[in-house]
Amino acid sequence: MDGLQAMRDRGELRSDADPKRLGLALLTALQGGLLLTQIRRDTWALEVTLDAMLDHVESFVVPV
């Protein structure tokens, strides 16, 4: 969350980005993806989930 806050403070993320919310969603996606990876013995769920979360975070990036 601190990294996302720093990005917003530097103007790299839009002002409407909520670093705490984005950080929690990213952490939750990671934990859920890791759990499914262990249960299914397959990394596909983790890959899909993290790709989706990174796309979501990227949607708040200020274009250069």
Side-chain angles (χ1 to χ4, degrees):
M1 291 181 220
D2 291 342
L4 292 166
Q5 181 65 51
M7 289 176 69
R8 193 177 85 172
D9 292 345
R10 288 190 303 262
E12 296 171 6
L13 294 179
R14 296 189 329 239
S15 61
D16 64 326
D18 184 343
K20 288 182 182 178
R21 189 175 173 98
L22 289 171
L24 180 59
L26 187 55
L27 179 59
T28 303
L30 174 63
Q31 290 295 324
L34 286 171
L35 179 61
L36 286 172
T37 293
Q38 290 175 340
I39 291 169
R40 298 175 65 189
R41 299 193 192 293
D42 183 333
T43 62
W44 183 74
L46 177 61
E47 293 169 21
V48 169
T49 302
L50 289 181
D51 284 345
M53 274 309 305
L54 291 175
D55 287 345
H56 182 61
V57 171
E58 189 176 15
S59 74
F60 289 97
V61 171
V62 174
V64 180

